Amino acid sequence: MVKLDNRVAIVTGGSRGIGAAIAKTLAAHGIKVVINYNSNSDAANQVVSEIEEAGGTAFASQADVSDAAQARVLVEETINRYGQLDILVNNAGITRDRTFRKISEEDWNQVIQVNLNSVYNTTSAALAHIQQSDAGRIISISSIIGQAGGFGQANYAAAKAGMIGFTKSLALELAKSGTTVNAICPGFIDTEMVQAIPDEIRQQIVAKIPARRFGAPEEIARGVLFLCQDGEYITGQQLNINGGLYM
Ligand code: NAD
């Protein structure tokens, strides 16, 4: 088991939803957390306040991680502030759901840029620092859609499947160094992303989930915590947290 106290983590897109839950869970276990956000500074500062009120340590850092230069600044700020980086959680993501014939070039490029190219941006900026850790962790929040596909989600599925291929390849390259690289594949989790789905379709989705409910953001956060704390010999894997929807 890895001692988590005073380790340092970046959580991209950490101001709400799954990212906020991950940030709070890691902070509750003694990890100093950098909450990256793109535009909503109030929400990010709110997460920082909640962490500090609970006795944890965090700060909010603005960066659009789909931009390589901004991702580098995010990592630099982290090192300036905390002097080290042990854990990178690639959580930032967007959807632009449309059936394939309606997906514009812009819808395609934006989803690939934010969900997949951001992972290159943050990981390449962070890697040299993470490798100095004796328990480096790179954890990317992929999706069940990257494994099973999704109607109206060809762009998102391609990006999320790309994250899985990236994870396996980098895991191979880093395995000897002690840094593990894994993907978490959530099913349908009750956040603004899923709340945006029309009610009727939400009900149809729940009916197909063997557990008969959406997951909670904290259930994904606990998966991240597990990989950080107990995942020394787990690398290149997809951790499915989906209520049995995809096996
Ligand atoms: P969300 O929309 O609530 O949160 C996504 C976060 O990413 C937001 O805070 C957003 O501001 C941030 N973000 C978007 N673009 C960014 C950028 N360029 N730079 C920095 N931050 C950016 O969604 P969520 O449900 O919490 O999703 C979190 C992750 O989990 C996403 O990658 C999503 O694809 C994935 N996921 C979600 C579900 C689900 O059911 N909710 C299922 C599978 C995977």
Side-chain angles (χ1 to χ4, degrees), residues 60-79:
S61 178
Q62 192 283 327
D64 173 353
V65 290
S66 71
D67 180 281
Q70 293 187 43
R72 282 195 293 273
V73 172
L74 169 65
V75 171
E76 277 164 27
E77 269 189 29
T78 303
I79 298 299

